[in-house]
Amino acid sequence: MSGLTTQDQGYGSNVRPGCPFHEVRQKLRRVGLRPTRQRVSLGWVLFAKGQRHVSAEMLYEEAMKERIPVSLATIYNTLRQFTEAGLLRELTLDGAKAYFDTADHDHHHFVVEGENRVIDIPAQDIDVAALPAPPEGYEISRVDVVVRLRKVEG
């Protein structure tokens, strides 16, 4: 892909395939986020490729390829804001590595060990019917199942 032009960034017509800038602006407004140039540009990079799992470092590399002038700190802040607004789900693995999931449907995850790869599992493929009762004053908001995979040694 080529870098973003002034026209692509919303100053003219939206001609990019995938998730056009005006759709990103609408998405941000719907969740109460101001559609700043950086949020819109990063939102386009993040959502234009469909449903996927991306780390901050991956998004930073993609932003650099698209010639979006942004720092890694801004990437982290934007991912945090998008997550808090409900546009992303954060999946933290092994207490350190975080992926951000753009899929908005109910699902769980396979994690391929040693490959830094995450694969969706449809919610209906996991039975979580026997959950414990939450402590008094709490309710279960969501259940996240992570199934770890490793290559079969043959």
Side-chain angles (χ1 to χ4, degrees):
M1 286 186 201
S2 64
L4 298 175
T5 66
T6 318
Q7 188 176 29
D8 294 328
Q9 292 178 6
Y11 299 104
S13 64
N14 294 307
V15 295
R16 298 296 283 245
C19 187
F21 282 91
H22 73 278
E23 290 179 22
V24 174
R25 281 192 201 89
Q26 289 173 343
K27 185 181 285 223
L28 293 172
R29 285 188 184 107
R30 269 196 305 274
V31 297
L33 289 175
R34 194 165 55 92
T36 64
R37 186 176 306 152
Q38 280 189 323
R39 283 182 187 149
V40 172
S41 295
L42 291 174
W44 179 81
V45 172
L46 189 59
F47 298 113
K49 295 180 180 175
Q51 297 179 351
R52 64 194 186 120
H53 309 94
V54 63
S55 69
E57 294 78 11
M58 292 164 62
L59 184 57
Y60 178 76
E61 286 178 24
E62 291 178 19
M64 292 299 97
K65 286 179 186 169
E66 292 292 338
R67 300 178 190 186
I68 298 170
V70 66
S71 69
L72 188 56
T74 299
I75 297 279
Y76 276 105
N77 290 337
T78 302
L79 288 170
R80 213 46 76 217
Q81 292 164 355
F82 285 10
T83 300
E84 289 171 6
L87 295 174
L88 300 172
R89 272 174 52 186
E90 184 175 2
L91 178 63
T92 304
L93 306 175
D94 302 323
K97 187 70 172 177
Y99 287 91
F100 296 86
D101 190 348
T102 63
D104 57 2
H105 63 279
D106 192 21
H107 65 285
H108 304 284
H109 297 98
F110 283 119
V111 175
V112 182
E113 293 179 345
E115 292 185 24
N116 290 328
R117 198 164 60 129
V118 180
I119 304 166
D120 287 348
I121 303 171
Q124 65 270 16
D125 290 357
I126 301 283
D127 183 6
V128 290
L131 294 174
E136 188 173 327
Y138 292 90
E139 67 182 4
I140 296 171
S141 65
R142 186 175 80 217
V143 175
D144 293 320
V145 176
V146 174
V147 179
R148 297 180 184 285
L149 304 174
R150 68 175 166 243
K151 293 271 185 184
V152 176
E153 298 295 323

